[in-house]
Amino acid sequence: MRITRVLSATALMLGLAVTPAVADSSPSPSPSEDSGAPTQAGTSFRTATEIEQGQTATASASTGDYLYWSFPADAGQRPTVKATVKLPDTHAAETWQIDVYDGLRRRQACQYGAQTRTAAAGGTPSGGASSVELACVLRTVHAWSEPWANDPLPGTYYIRLTVVNLATSDLGLPVDAEVRVDSEDIGGAAAVDGSLAQPLVPGAGAISQGGEEESTKEALLASLEPSGGWASGWWSDRWVWTGIGGMLAALAGVGGYALTRGAGRPTRVPPGA
């Protein structure tokens, strides 16, 4: 009877512990596309157009331009950057490439995806290519990393889209570009013991603010944050599963004691027997 009560209480505690973990791991709905999505791109890191994850940004440019966007990525996220370039009806063979840099302007490697693609010449009897689709799936963003490592860290990320192989005749032809960033929440599987003091959000230097007590504030080149704010880095769902493991170990100890207590004890013989 006592073992049954212990099992029931432990099962209830496990249910309460697992519930928040399941709720946290469920994917959040992507922001709906609206008229507020950016319709232009920057031409350098400092002028990169900010976009939110889940938005589809568009831009009209000329072939040969460097196009820049920036987006925020937090610890535990695995961003996927996708870009589509719509080419003119008549063009020579072109090779387009998408690159992603972190807040320190370190180029981040793609785990997989077509980061570079070549479009066949258009306006030919074979038809050619009317668009180019590129993709880059980054590594999971860590809350902390060794100084010598090149791991992705929380902060601002930059997207650069450009053509890397172009015929002189195509230089300056109009093109339309679309860029979108989505993330998969990896959760506790990517948790590390440590966190950055501040996310890697580039600043333009200190500026003075007037008032009775004049103070200085850093002007940020990127102001967007993740929808839930920057994570502190110490909490993850692995704490829940660690707690569950501890409770299961305690349950095993209680059950083993209840099953084996009294075994091996000498039988008490009544006096005078």
Side-chain angles (χ1 to χ4, degrees), residues 60-67 96 163 170-175:
S60 297
S62 299
T63 307
D65 290 345
Y66 284 83
L67 306 180
W96 287 80
V163 60
D170 283 359
L171 186 63
L173 290 180
V175 293

Side-chain angles (χ1 to χ4, degrees), residues 26-45:
S26 59
S28 57
S30 301
S32 58
E33 299 178 15
D34 53 22
S35 58
T39 56
Q40 60 182 3
T43 56
S44 67
F45 285 102

Side-chain angles (χ1 to χ4, degrees), residues 192-203:
V192 295
D193 295 328
S195 62
L196 297 180
Q198 295 291 337
L200 299 179
V201 178

Side-chain angles (χ1 to χ4, degrees), residues 25-83:
S25 62
S26 59
S28 57
S30 301
S32 58
E33 299 178 15
D34 53 22
S35 58
T39 56
Q40 60 182 3
T43 56
S44 67
F45 285 102
R46 293 180 63 87
T47 60
T49 299
E50 294 182 283
I51 62 174
E52 296 180 358
Q53 294 192 27
Q55 277 188 327
T56 300
T58 59
S60 297
S62 299
T63 307
D65 290 345
Y66 284 83
L67 306 180
Y68 287 82
W69 294 267
S70 66
F71 67 93
D74 205 0
Q77 293 183 339
R78 181 183 293 166
T80 298
V81 180
K82 295 182 179 180

Side-chain angles (χ1 to χ4, degrees), residues 151-206:
D151 295 329
L153 294 170
T156 300
Y157 283 76
Y158 294 94
I159 305 170
R160 185 179 72 182
L161 176 64
T162 188
V163 60
V164 295
N165 185 14
L166 177 68
T168 305
S169 58
D170 283 359
L171 186 63
L173 290 180
V175 293
D176 294 321
E178 291 184 359
V179 172
R180 182 182 177 92
V181 181
D182 295 291
S183 287
E184 179 183 357
D185 189 5
I186 304 302
V192 295
D193 295 328
S195 62
L196 297 180
Q198 295 291 337
L200 299 179
V201 178

Side-chain angles (χ1 to χ4, degrees), residues 81-87 94-98 113-119 129-136 161 176-178:
V81 180
K82 295 182 179 180
T84 301
V85 183
K86 298 179 181 179
L87 306 173
E94 300 176 1
T95 301
W96 287 80
Q97 180 171 306
I98 188 171
Q115 185 180 4
T116 302
R117 271 189 172 174
T118 300
S130 59
S131 65
V132 179
E133 294 185 356
L134 306 169
C136 175
L161 176 64
D176 294 321
E178 291 184 359

